Amino acid sequence: AALADRVRGRGRDGRRADTEALLTRIEAVSRFLRHTDDHVPARRLVAARTVVERSAARLELSRDHTVVALAGSTGSGKSSLFNALARLELSPVGVRRPTTGVAHACVWGQLEGANRLLDWVGVLPRHRFVRESALDADDEAALRGLILLDLPDFDSVERAHRMEVDRLLNLVDLVVWVVDPQKYADRIVHEGYLRQFHRHRDVTVVVLNQVDRLAAGDVDRVVEDLERLLAHDDLADVPVLALSAVQADTQAELRELLERTVAARQAALLRLGGDLDAVVAEAAALVGPEVAEDSVDRGAVRALSEALAAVAGVPAVTEATERAYRQRAVGATGWPPLRWLRRLRPDPLRRLHLDTGTAPGELPAATSLPESDAAQRSAVGLAVRQLADQAAADLPEPWPAAVTLAARSRLDDLPDALDRAVAGTDLGLNRRPLWWRVASLGQWLATLAALGGLLWLAIGYGVRVLGLPELRHPRIGEAPLPTLLLLGGLLGGLLLAVLLRPVVRWAARRARARADRRLRAAVTEVAREHVVAPVREVLHAYARAREALLAARGAG
């Protein structure tokens, strides 16, 4: 059944390869690479990147040709089988080993249509041969579109031969592994090659050559043992054909398989699908459970904001805000004759270059806040590390390192960003409250009353000094009105100041709390922009990479 499906160009699940589905998978792997490129070491993406590039190149080349390679160890007879299938002496066969040092290609059909594909595979023009001729009539028509390669020996003592085999095995559409009765169980064959092709079962065929050297009863036994070894290599369902390169009547089954493979034009798609299966399986270690892109813990963000607030000098600014409010409030609501004394005191906020009324769109000036100490900076580093560790808790390697790197990527920009955030925060002291105006009006009325009473009394005293008729002051009860105005104004202003003192303290505390909220909100925004946002970018990349890999896997 496996052989029947294979010669019809079907995968091991019985379905024909779908070009659109393959392209969808390639695009999904490409998306996976885009999202992991900045966060995963390049060495772990080499295989996926190579497969994407190789798949795109193969699909752009001729889809009317199927590249089949004969691979085998020294003495397996693959060159003899190559010549037997071509029915021409094309590849050198001799007693000196290794005989095949470079790949030879035999093309059924017009060579011009296969040249681009052979250039891509890397077969030299002098080693390319055309099988069909006018003498063949239609004898070879069933194999039209076949490009058969005779590879160098993969166990050659020449390292260049082995490297060439490894290169070509990554490019061909279907591999026919040729083994012989003496070395079919060779460890190099199974561990070094066949076992590595377990994801390419759909494009793998094993040929037991030289069965003419075995007794009739030994062929089945050797084939059975070979199938057992293949099952151990996770290749239990690949076709195993027994034949002899020197007996043409034993090659019919292999020839039929090649004819049907060429006719189906599915081998290239199946091979690329197997390549994608391999890279998807390898890349599976790079993704794990689903992680929400906004899974940064709020508690960790609050802890980071607290640490940054200390570094930014928020406590000092809020204290200065309270003192500045009290000073300005007393200056606005105090006794007018003494207000100028308040103006002689430096404003606590302006000493820090804060609350200077920056125009809209203008960058705030740098503050004069004291620099943070080592303990505060260490607390920030610890908070960043804890946030990164929490965000990457469920991620597989190497994503936690990428998250940590992202969290620390903009730490050098934090001091300036925090300073700008503090300097640009509206502390709420630029607007004079209505009650200041009312209190100030009351103080002015009291002061004017006192001045009016004092002036009235002074005029009366001057009249007496000059000997003029004494002025009679209006009285309220027994007290003259000017005296009441003077004393009432002085006492009223003093009483108003005393009554306003607890109100000023209460309002100053509210101003401090309001400034603290605004400053911490600004600091939190800096934390989100410089630490949380880079972390979320990595989490977003992980989520998109995971989706792409699932799409690449699911489409297969």
Side-chain angles (χ1 to χ4, degrees):
L3 178 58
D5 278 342
R6 202 63 47 87
V7 299
R8 292 186 180 92
R10 298 181 184 273
R12 57 184 176 274
D13 57 2
R15 293 180 301 172
R16 288 179 62 84
D18 183 355
T19 303
E20 292 301 322
L22 182 65
L23 290 173
T24 299
R25 296 185 68 196
I26 294 172
E27 196 278 331
V29 175
S30 297
R31 283 190 284 116
F32 171 82
L33 290 171
R34 287 198 301 271
H35 292 303
T36 56
D37 193 43
D38 295 332
H39 311 296
V40 175
R43 58 182 174 79
R44 302 191 65 175
L45 301 174
V46 170
R49 202 176 304 281
T50 300
V51 166
V52 169
E53 294 174 356
R54 189 165 62 218
S55 301
R58 179 64 183 91
L59 292 174
E60 287 179 1
L61 295 170
S62 174
R63 299 192 191 183
D64 295 327
H65 290 85
T66 301
V67 184
V68 178
L70 299 180
S73 59
T74 304
S76 63
K78 58 181 175 53
S79 296
S80 299
L81 181 60
F82 177 80
N83 293 335
L85 291 172
R87 297 174 183 171
L88 293 171
E89 291 295 325
L90 302 178
S91 188
V93 179
V95 295
R96 183 174 60 87
R97 297 290 185 259
T99 299
T100 308
V102 294
H104 292 71
C106 182
V107 179
W108 274 259
Q110 294 298 318
L111 185 59
E112 289 76 16
N115 273 332
R116 287 185 62 217
L117 189 53
L118 286 170
D119 288 340
W120 179 70
V121 172
V123 177
L124 297 175
R126 65 176 177 271
H127 296 142
R128 304 174 187 177
F129 307 97
V130 178
R131 174 58 190 83
E132 290 188 82
S133 69
L135 298 177
D136 292 317
D138 288 330
D139 293 347
E140 301 294 327
L143 289 178
R144 225 167 258 163
L146 172 64
I147 300 176
L148 187 64
L149 302 183
D150 181 19
L151 304 188
D153 303 328
F154 55 64
D155 61 347
S156 172
V157 294
E158 296 289 340
R159 184 169 180 269
H161 294 183
R162 300 195 302 272
M163 293 177 62
E164 180 69 357
V165 171
D166 293 341
R167 185 185 69 82
L168 290 169
L169 286 176
N170 287 322
L171 301 176
V172 299
D173 301 330
L174 184 142
V175 182
V176 177
W177 299 92
V178 182
V179 298
D180 63 89
Q182 290 183 329
K183 295 195 299 182
Y184 71 88
D186 190 356
R187 180 176 59 84
I188 296 178
V189 176
H190 291 272
E191 294 184 7
Y193 288 93
L194 285 170
R195 195 167 298 172
Q196 310 306 319
F197 263 66
H198 69 280
R199 295 190 183 278
H200 297 87
R201 302 180 188 90
D202 296 336
V203 289
T204 299
V205 178
V206 179
V207 167
L208 176 64
N209 193 17
Q210 303 175 2
V211 295
D212 55 301
R213 299 183 180 182
L214 296 174
D218 292 335
V219 175
D220 291 340
R221 183 169 58 84
V222 174
V223 169
E224 182 179 349
D225 191 47
L226 177 56
E227 290 177 339
R228 177 186 62 81
L229 294 173
L230 292 173
H232 184 68
D233 296 331
D234 201 14
L235 293 170
D237 55 348
V238 302
V240 179
L241 309 179
L243 54 80
S244 172
V246 298
Q247 295 177 343
D249 58 328
T250 65
Q251 302 163 17
E253 196 172 13
L254 175 59
R255 192 174 182 86
E256 179 187 2
L257 185 147
L258 294 177
E259 291 174 355
R260 294 184 180 274
T261 298
V262 170
R265 292 186 174 88
Q266 291 281 293
L269 302 180
L270 293 172
R271 170 57 198 263
L272 296 179
D275 289 342
L276 290 172
D277 289 341
V279 298
V280 167
E282 181 181 349
L286 297 175
V287 299
E290 183 177 4
V291 175
E293 299 173 24
D294 58 349
S295 62
V296 180
D297 183 64
R298 294 182 179 179
V301 176
R302 284 196 298 270
L304 175 61
S305 299
E306 288 294 327
L308 291 177
V311 169
V314 169
V317 176
T318 55
E319 181 182 354
T321 301
E322 181 178 5
R323 289 190 286 110
Y325 186 95
R326 296 168 89 176
Q327 181 174 325
R328 296 179 189 184
V330 172
T333 63
W335 195 36
L338 297 180
R339 290 183 185 181
W340 65 274
L341 293 176
R342 289 282 179 179
R343 295 192 181 95
L344 296 179
R345 298 182 182 181
D347 188 282
L349 284 179
R350 289 188 170 85
R351 289 180 63 183
L352 299 177
H353 290 175
L354 294 171
D355 198 42
T356 55
T358 304
E362 180 183 348
L363 290 177
T367 69
S368 298
L369 289 167
E371 293 187 3
S372 58
D373 56 35
Q376 292 172 335
R377 292 192 294 271
S378 177
V380 170
L382 180 61
V384 170
R385 181 59 181 268
Q386 290 175 342
L387 185 146
D389 289 346
Q390 181 277 327
D394 297 328
L395 299 182
E397 291 294 338
W399 292 98
V403 170
T404 300
L405 183 63
R408 301 180 60 84
S409 62
R410 301 188 64 185
L411 289 187
D412 292 341
D413 299 333
L414 276 178
D416 289 341
L418 290 172
D419 197 67
R420 288 194 301 271
V422 171
T425 300
D426 180 11
L427 301 177
L429 298 189
N430 290 325
R431 185 179 61 84
R432 293 168 62 90
L434 178 61
W435 70 270
W436 285 14
R437 302 174 186 273
V438 175
S440 178
L441 178 62
Q443 286 286 18
W444 275 110
L445 291 176
T447 300
L448 291 176
L451 287 175
L454 178 61
L455 181 61
W456 199 343
L457 291 175
I459 292 173
Y461 178 76
V463 168
R464 287 197 303 271
V465 169
L466 293 175
L468 297 175
E470 181 180 0
L471 295 177
R472 294 188 177 276
H473 301 299
R475 292 177 175 273
I476 298 178
E478 296 296 326
L481 180 59
T483 304
L484 289 177
L485 289 174
L486 175 61
L487 295 179
L490 293 176
L491 292 176
L494 178 61
L495 180 61
L496 184 59
V498 171
L499 293 176
L500 287 177
R501 186 171 298 174
V503 177
V504 169
R505 286 199 298 267
W506 171 80
R509 288 194 295 270
R510 286 194 61 191
R512 177 173 184 164
R514 181 176 60 246
D516 185 76
R517 288 194 303 272
R518 294 180 179 181
L519 287 169
R520 290 185 185 277
V523 168
T524 300
E525 189 60 32
V526 171
R528 294 185 182 280
E529 179 182 352
H530 288 72
V531 179
V532 178
V535 167
R536 284 181 172 163
E537 287 180 7
V538 177
L539 296 179
H540 174 80
Y542 171 82
R544 299 289 83 77
R546 184 176 182 273
E547 289 178 2
L549 197 62
L550 290 176
R553 180 188 302 161

